[in-house]
Amino acid sequence: MTAQSWTYILVGLTFLIYIIIAIVSRAGSTKEFYVAGGGVNPIANGMATAADWMSAASFLSMAGLIAFMGFSGGQYLMGWTGGYVLLALLLAPYLRKFGKFTVPDFIGERYYSKNARLVALICALFVSFTYVVGQMKGVGVAFARFLNVPFDTGVLIGIGIVFFYAVLGGMKGITYTQVAQFCVLIFAFTVPAIFISIQMTGNPIPQVGFGSKGTDGMYLLEKLNILSKDLGFDKYTSINKENLVNMFFITGALMFGTAGLPHVIVRFFTVPRVKDARVSAGWALLFISILYTTAPAVAVFARTNLINTLSNTSYVDVPDWFTNWEKTGLLKFEDKNNDGKIQYVADSQINELKVDQDIIVLANPEIADLPPWVIGLVVAGGLAAALSTAAGLLLVISTSISHDLLKNYLRPNISEKGELYAARIAIAVAVVAAGLAGMNPPGFVAQVVALAFGLAASSFFPAIILGIFDKRMNREGAITGMIVGIVFTASYIIHFKPQLGGSGIPEGFWFGISPEGIGTLGMLINFIISIIVSRLTLAPPGNVIELTESIRTPRGLKKTKTSLH
């Protein structure tokens, strides 16, 4: 069978499984819609959390960025991995013990203020929508290749699919669908990597293979350095010392943004007990590490094969995969010197090949001429990664509107049936809006996602961490900090959006910090303002101080009376 036939079979089969799970697990109450009834097994929740976490940015875009950025691309790997560890250790167990459905719920009650809840709600919508735009771009890339249609058409098809199973199942349906999606995406990511590692180095372990000698006796990384330098690019493993400050800030934004992401935090409310939240976080970290340790190997394999396959190749001799990707508009060849050969070099005036970095993972098995079923499997995995996270984010948007805004702000007496209906309408509107925005995103998938992480870091992280560990933090400090943090970060991103994804450090960036990393500075500003304002205003009420202590106190341990004076 052809790769196209295998793709139809595998994508069709996996989607059938997702749809059946969504129907069987259909939410019948608001608790099932928001937190899956709170009875999910920790291992299953670990898988669902991993699928929710490993979005199109992780599956499709991260390896692509590392492939083209080399050493500097490691900032995405370090930031996202470190951020999840931070989330699992510092936030998840305490928020689960608090026992609320959403982050705005926590903010509203911890800071004893409807205004605080409203600010958190606006931040959650801002962060989640930015994030889901990146996922819809990933959905479009996968569908464009799967059906051999233009990218915009792929996004429109993705809108329909996400609409169906996210609106129907709520968190209950999404959780069990994500368990299946994790199995699909992790298998789809690792199998081709193992194949290519054996093909290029003879080693079946990709994590070891990309640092080993190739079949020609030369170390693979050394060979890639030579190939890159010959084409005018920097050595693949070279360190850009001028960019180290920006690299630090991007890593920080991704790390602290992870710990403030509403759609990941809500996953820890789906397990029965606080202990289960810790256990599921550990399982999720194990599952996530499988993909994240494989991504650098995939990047090296893909970059090497891309250069060897296309550089100085006659256009009439290009393989079928090249023409297939050309149809999507994500791979373009412009014969500037009319010699019929592809000039792939660093000099933009001479370079004739334009490659969207988000296609690298999907194209990698085709470039390496792997069996057709592997190619189909990777497309199914890419769709699983993008759809799983998109569904989780859309659920955050819907709960923010139906539960935090409607139920707790505008219509307190709304029935459970009415709230559930409003949640589904909110998802429907959000998926259409995100899909349309995803047709023209401000950067590659991982870069758009990085902006969302920066917004989360500058708004939620200080409010949550201080709400847990600082009894003196009050509503005035939290509200002021969140507003200043997200306004500063969003303004910087909007101002420098045209330069997003450029090489080097464009003029005008503060301290050389790009939009992807400015969330770290926004977070520091938030912390400083929150602490100063809280110390200049009245202390929180006594019941709030007791609540803060109870979150941190293990069950069965007697609390001691403390004073703020």
Side-chain angles (χ1 to χ4, degrees):
M1 284 194 295
T2 64
Q4 190 70 10
S5 300
W6 272 110
T7 302
Y8 277 115
I9 291 170
L10 291 171
V11 171
L13 183 62
T14 54
F15 268 68
L16 180 62
I17 293 171
Y18 305 154
I19 290 170
I20 291 172
I21 292 173
I23 293 172
V24 172
S25 306
R26 190 175 188 274
S29 67
T30 52
K31 188 173 183 181
E32 287 184 341
F33 194 90
Y34 294 146
V35 292
V40 179
N41 179 276
I43 298 178
N45 192 56
M47 286 187 177
T49 303
D52 210 350
W53 173 239
M54 292 187 293
S55 63
S58 296
F59 189 98
L60 295 177
S61 195
M62 183 172 65
L65 284 174
I66 296 172
F68 284 85
M69 295 174 67
F71 176 85
S72 297
Q75 61 202 12
Y76 292 92
L77 195 68
M78 293 184 294
W80 282 326
T81 307
Y84 188 81
V85 175
L86 186 67
L87 171 65
L89 293 177
L90 288 183
L91 299 184
Y94 303 108
L95 291 173
R96 176 61 187 85
K97 189 175 181 182
F98 191 82
K100 291 297 178 180
F101 286 165
T102 65
V103 173
D105 253 352
F106 170 80
I107 298 290
E109 187 153 335
R110 167 59 182 85
Y111 294 112
Y112 50 97
S113 169
K114 281 193 171 184
N115 290 333
R117 181 193 297 272
L118 182 61
V119 172
L121 161 66
I122 294 170
C123 292
L125 291 174
F126 213 119
V127 170
S128 299
F129 187 78
T130 304
Y131 201 155
V132 83
V133 166
Q135 303 312 305
M136 294 312 291
K137 198 235 171 169
V139 171
V141 170
F143 270 115
R145 177 62 190 93
F146 163 40
L147 298 173
N148 281 330
V149 296
F151 168 68
D152 288 355
T153 305
V155 174
L156 291 174
I157 296 169
I159 288 174
I161 298 293
V162 175
F163 178 90
F164 176 80
Y165 84 89
V167 171
L168 185 66
M171 180 58 84
K172 186 178 180 183
I174 287 171
T175 294
Y176 293 108
T177 302
Q178 285 175 336
V179 171
Q181 286 168 332
F182 167 77
C183 297
V184 172
L185 76 86
I186 206 68
F187 192 65
F189 197 85
T190 54
V191 166
I194 292 170
F195 266 94
I196 300 174
S197 184
I198 294 172
Q199 185 185 79
M200 297 182 73
T201 69
N203 194 313
I205 305 172
Q207 293 89 336
V208 178
F210 86 104
S212 304
K213 289 183 178 180
T215 53
D216 58 359
M218 182 182 293
Y219 281 102
L220 198 57
L221 286 170
E222 183 184 350
K223 181 178 179 180
L224 183 52
N225 278 337
I226 294 171
L227 288 171
S228 299
K229 198 163 180 61
D230 287 346
L231 297 175
F233 297 101
D234 291 333
K235 284 185 177 180
Y236 185 80
T237 57
S238 65
I239 300 173
N240 184 355
K241 294 183 178 180
E242 294 181 1
N243 199 42
L244 287 179
V245 171
N246 189 41
M247 189 174 181
F248 172 82
F249 273 81
I250 291 177
T251 303
L254 297 176
M255 184 178 293
F256 298 113
T258 298
L261 283 180
H263 79 288
V264 177
I265 289 173
V266 76
R267 291 240 53 94
F268 297 102
F269 294 113
T270 64
V271 291
R273 299 169 299 174
V274 177
K275 179 184 177 182
D276 295 328
R278 293 182 186 274
V279 173
S280 66
W283 279 108
L285 189 58
L286 175 64
F287 296 140
I288 289 168
S289 68
I290 298 172
L291 186 144
Y292 271 59
T293 56
T294 309
V298 172
V300 171
F301 299 152
R303 181 70 169 165
T304 304
N305 279 333
L306 183 72
I307 293 174
N308 282 333
T309 305
L310 296 181
S311 182
N312 209 33
T313 299
S314 175
Y315 183 65
V316 296
D317 296 329
V318 294
D320 290 341
W321 69 264
F322 187 95
T323 52
N324 288 334
W325 277 105
E326 272 191 309
K327 294 174 185 176
T328 68
L330 299 169
L331 181 67
K332 297 177 182 178
F333 167 60
E334 180 188 355
D335 195 0
K336 294 179 180 179
N337 60 3
N338 297 314
D339 68 347
K341 292 185 177 181
I342 300 174
Q343 303 297 321
Y344 179 45
V345 294
D347 188 338
S348 59
Q349 300 299 317
I350 303 173
N351 181 55
E352 299 174 337
L353 185 67
K354 183 178 180 182
V355 184
D356 189 305
Q357 296 174 13
D358 291 334
I359 75 170
I360 283 298
V361 171
L362 291 180
N364 198 23
E366 297 178 272
I367 299 172
D369 198 25
L370 296 187
W373 68 267
V374 179
I375 296 169
L377 179 66
V378 174
V379 176
L383 288 169
L387 293 174
S388 61
T389 304
L393 291 163
L394 289 165
L395 188 68
V396 168
I397 293 172
S398 75
T399 53
S400 295
I401 292 172
S402 62
H403 183 71
D404 295 308
L405 181 61
L406 204 61
K407 176 73 173 176
N408 289 296
Y409 220 84
L410 300 178
R411 292 184 60 190
N413 297 321
I414 190 173
S415 66
E416 182 170 304
K417 185 177 180 181
E419 188 180 346
L420 197 58
Y421 184 66
R424 289 192 165 116
I425 291 177
I427 280 188
V429 173
V431 70
V432 173
L436 295 176
M439 290 181 183
N440 187 30
F444 299 114
V445 173
Q447 290 170 329
V448 177
V449 168
L451 300 182
F453 277 71
L455 293 169
S458 63
S459 57
F460 281 130
F461 182 71
I464 296 173
I465 204 78
L466 292 172
I468 295 171
F469 295 102
D470 183 7
K471 293 181 291 185
R472 185 62 176 78
M473 181 51 54
N474 61 12
R475 63 186 175 193
E476 290 82 5
I479 292 172
T480 307
M482 282 192 293
I483 292 174
V484 172
I486 199 164
V487 168
F488 166 77
T489 304
S491 300
Y492 192 93
I493 289 170
I494 292 169
H495 179 70
F496 287 109
K497 172 185 167 290
Q499 296 173 343
L500 182 63
S503 59
I505 303 174
E507 292 183 10
F509 280 4
W510 290 14
F511 313 110
I513 304 171
S514 68
E516 299 100 317
I518 198 62
T520 302
L521 184 57
M523 178 198 70
L524 295 174
I525 293 171
N526 184 337
F527 266 119
I528 293 168
I529 288 178
S530 296
I531 292 170
I532 290 174
V533 171
S534 68
R535 268 53 181 182
L536 296 176
T537 49
L538 293 175
N543 64 312
V544 173
I545 295 172
E546 290 182 8
L547 175 66
T548 307
E549 285 186 328
S550 70
I551 296 173
R552 300 198 308 270
T553 305
R555 295 188 187 280
L557 204 66
K558 291 184 178 180
K559 291 180 288 186
T560 57
K561 288 188 177 182
T562 57
S563 173
L564 292 173
H565 302 292

